[in-house]
Structure formats: structure tokens, C-alpha cells
């Protein structure tokens, strides 16, 4: 039975994402779930060999990329994303039995969750002071332990801890989606499906035009970039890594050519190619006709 770490404790959206991956037959059978206190800790368990994979959040449609996950993927021994899933994210306000909404003076919340319910809290719990928790499930545990009056959390965490729901389906934005990824040690990428995502990290020379030249490797080959983001390397002011997602698979000729070209001039970390749950953008062009034309030229066949 494979051991799969997840950003815990039990009751987080990440555990729900792991359950969704299990039900969609990403794994060959049941898995042993291993809770980790942070995204980085979950990924380090993969690097050490203590687990076979880890599920971590990587992007929110409301708050953008999850920086803790991106930073953890960029440093240390390389890991690889092999699958993804998406969850619609709405929150439950949890409290101990007997608590009313008007009684709440301290509200435990994971910072990403707090940002997604800021307006709702201002309207309905204006007197509440935010208490920072380590995760959505940890916020519920803080309430159960008496460290806060209520929590921005999940229904699953409330059921596990015997808390009551003061409000459900709480969110400032409709159709808030978070994308989660399954990460393993490096291996052969899942087969191309025609609806795939490839992700890399680039460290470029600090010279004029280096970023433009990197982008040109994709543009000239008709590869659609769906995410472009910079994060500091934390080695000095003005030094950044660039995280790029594109439509396509490493087995697509255009994508493979772009990766080879980038490798000649930049430090590149391949984070994986895998089937996308939902994809907007244009797949890379096929090179079948051009490849056949070149084959015929090498055979000495005249153009027709």
C-alpha cells in the first residue's frame, strides 16, 4: 500500500483532494494517508523516501499560486508532479456547541482561507479578531482546544472534532477553485493525453533580454503559456526564479524543443508533464507533416 503525505492535519481541503485522487483511480488501490504540518514538510517526506508521494495545494483561483508549495518545489532534490485535481472551495465557520455567531471574538483561520472570506467576515463578524492557524484543520483544532471562539475551516474537520457549524458555504467569490497536485520522486511522465500541462522553473542570467529570449522559445513554437510567475531566490535583492506552465507534454515535439533550447542558456528545473483537470489555451502544433517531409528529404525523395 503506497504511503501518501498531505498537508494536514486530518480534515483539510488537501486531504479531501487526496480522497478525490483516490476515487479517480490515480493510485492502483487504497493508500495510507500521512499528515504533514506544511507543504514543505510533505514534500520533504517524499525526498527522504518516507512516503511514496505527497498531495499539496499549488494554485487558488482567488489568491493565486501557493508560494510555500512553489518554493519547496524549486529547491532541494528535484521532485515531479504526476497528477492534479481541483476542488471548489467554500468554508464552514465552526464553533464549540452552545456558541452563537454574535459570541465570537476570536476567529482562527489559515491565512489563505482568511483572505478568501475577508468580506464575509467584515459583514457578519466585524468584532472578531483573526487568530492565525497553521492550516484549515488546525484552525478547527484551535477552537476545540479553546484557543479561539470559532474557525474558518471545513465541514470534515468539524465532524471529526464534534464542532457545530455557525455558517456554511462561506466565500467572498463564487466558484473559488483550488488546484492540488500529486508529487513523487522523478519518474517517467504519465503518457500524453492531448490535454496536458507542463511546468518548469527557470533561473536566468541577470542580463538584458534574458527573459524575452526565454519567452521567445515558446512563442516561436506556438506553445501557449498559461502561467508566468516570479518568486525571489532569497539569495539577494533583485534575484528571481520564474515559474512557467504551458499547454502540452514533454513528448510533444514543440515542447521538447523549447526545453532543450532553454537548457542551453538557463538553469531549468522540470516539474513535470501530466494530464490537466481543466485547461484553457491552445495545444502545441503537431510536427507530423514537417517530420515526414524531412524524412523524405533524407531519403532523397523529390518534392511532389
Amino acid at each position: 500500500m503506497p504511503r501518501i503525505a498531505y498537508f494536514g492535519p486530518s480534515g483539510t481541503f488537501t486531504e479531501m483532494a487526496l480522497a478525490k485522487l483516490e476515487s479517480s483511480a490515480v493510485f492502483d488501490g487504497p493508500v495510507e494517508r500521512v499528515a504533514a504540518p506544511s507543504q514543505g514538510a510533505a514534500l520533504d517526506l517524499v525526498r527522504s523516501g518516507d512516503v511514496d508521494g505527497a498531495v499539496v495545494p499549488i494554485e487558488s483561483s482567488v489568491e493565486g499560486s501557493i508560494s510555500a508549495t512553489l518554493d519547496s518545489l524549486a529547491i532541494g532534490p528535484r521532485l515531479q508532479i504526476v497528477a492534479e485535481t481541483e476542488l471548489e472551495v467554500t468554508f464552514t465557520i465552526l464553533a464549540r456547541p452552545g456558541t452563537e455567531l454574535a459570541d465570537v471574538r476570536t476567529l482562527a483561520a489559515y491565512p489563505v482561507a482568511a483572505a478568501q472570506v475577508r468580506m464575509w467576515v467584515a459583514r457578519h463578524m466585524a468584532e472578531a479578531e483573526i487568530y492565525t492557524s497553521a492550516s484549515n484543520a488546525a484552525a478547527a483544532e484551535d477552537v476545540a482546544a479553546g484557543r479561539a471562539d470559532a474557525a474558518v475551516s471545513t465541514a470534515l474537520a468539524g465532524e471529526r472534532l464534534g464542532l457545530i457549524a455557525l455558517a456554511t458555504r462561506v466565500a467572498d467569490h463564487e466558484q473559488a477553485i483550488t488546484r492540488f497536485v500529486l508529487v513523487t520522486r522523478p519518474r517517467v511522465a504519465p503518457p500524453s493525453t492531448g490535454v496536458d500541462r507542463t511546468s518548469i522553473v527557470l533561473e536566468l542570467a541577470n542580463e538584458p533580454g534574458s527573459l524575452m529570449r526565454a519567452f521567445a522559445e515558446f512563442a516561436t513554437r506556438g506553445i501557449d503559456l498559461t502561467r508566468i510567475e516570479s518568486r525571489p531566490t532569497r539569495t539577494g535583492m533583485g534575484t528571481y526564479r520564474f515559474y512557467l506552465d504551458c499547454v502540452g507534454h514533454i513528448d510533444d515535439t514543440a515542447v521538447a524543443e523549447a526545453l532543450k533550447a532553454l537548457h542551453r542558456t538557463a538553469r531549468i528545473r522540470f516539474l513535470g508533464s501530466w494530464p490537466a483537470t481543466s485547461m484553457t489555451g491552445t495545444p502545441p502544433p503537431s510536427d507530423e507533416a514537417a517530420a515526414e517531409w524531412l524524412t523524405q528529404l533524407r531519403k532523397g525523395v523529390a518534392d511532389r
Side-chain angles (χ1 to χ4, degrees):
M1 181 183 297
R3 287 165 50 84
I4 306 298
Y6 67 95
F7 176 30
S10 181
T12 59
F13 285 110
T14 309
E15 186 183 18
M16 295 163 63
L18 172 52
K20 188 174 180 180
L21 287 168
E22 289 181 79
S23 65
S24 60
V26 168
F27 307 102
D28 292 334
V31 305
E32 179 184 349
R33 301 179 187 179
V34 180
S38 67
Q39 295 95 319
L43 295 175
D44 283 342
L45 287 173
V46 181
R47 290 188 173 101
S48 68
D50 291 332
V51 299
D52 301 292
V55 176
V56 290
I58 197 167
E59 187 175 10
S60 160
S61 64
V62 176
E63 290 299 305
S65 297
I66 310 300
S67 58
T69 298
L70 294 185
D71 290 344
S72 295
L73 288 170
I75 60 176
R78 185 175 76 85
L79 297 176
Q80 189 166 327
I81 301 171
V82 297
E84 69 173 44
T85 192
E86 295 177 352
L87 288 181
E88 182 180 357
V89 173
T90 60
F91 298 91
T92 301
I93 306 299
L94 300 174
R96 294 182 296 278
T99 304
E100 301 289 340
L101 201 61
D103 300 330
V104 176
R105 292 295 177 267
T106 53
L107 180 66
Y110 182 54
V112 175
Q116 295 188 49
V117 299
R118 186 183 298 113
M119 293 184 289
W120 188 95
V121 170
R123 287 195 305 269
H124 300 279
M125 307 174 71
E127 302 299 320
E129 178 183 352
I130 299 295
Y131 173 98
T132 299
S133 296
S135 69
N136 293 314
E141 292 185 343
D142 287 337
V143 171
R147 290 187 287 269
D149 298 327
V152 180
S153 190
T154 68
L156 179 63
E159 293 169 5
R160 184 171 64 87
L161 295 169
L163 302 176
I164 62 169
L166 300 182
T168 60
R169 297 195 62 80
V170 174
D172 289 344
H173 305 276
E174 293 183 2
Q175 296 181 327
I177 302 293
T178 296
R179 182 157 57 92
F180 300 82
V181 290
L182 171 62
V183 182
T184 68
R185 289 180 290 280
R187 67 191 211 189
V188 176
S192 173
T193 65
V195 185
D196 302 290
R197 190 188 317 275
T198 292
S199 185
I200 63 171
V201 184
L202 283 178
E203 292 188 20
L204 302 170
N206 189 10
E207 59 187 33
S210 60
L211 184 58
M212 183 194 71
R213 289 191 293 272
F215 287 166
E217 301 294 357
F218 295 95
T220 57
R221 294 175 173 85
I223 299 171
D224 196 346
L225 291 174
T226 56
R227 184 170 65 92
I228 304 169
E229 185 166 355
S230 63
R231 290 281 303 156
T233 63
R234 300 179 180 177
T235 59
M237 289 292 290
T239 59
Y240 290 85
R241 296 185 184 93
F242 296 88
Y243 298 79
L244 306 180
D245 285 1
C246 71
V247 181
H249 192 280
I250 193 173
D251 289 341
D252 294 328
T253 300
V255 174
E257 288 178 346
L259 297 183
K260 287 191 294 183
L262 289 168
H263 185 265
R264 297 186 191 108
T265 60
R267 292 184 62 185
I268 178 173
R269 169 165 285 199
F270 176 66
L271 295 183
S273 293
W274 65 93
T277 302
S278 61
M279 178 64 75
T280 57
T282 305
S286 170
D287 76 325
E288 290 183 5
E292 176 60 23
W293 173 78
L294 188 61
T295 297
Q296 295 304 314
L297 288 182
R298 286 170 171 162
K299 290 180 178 179
V301 177
D303 284 344
R304 289 193 290 272

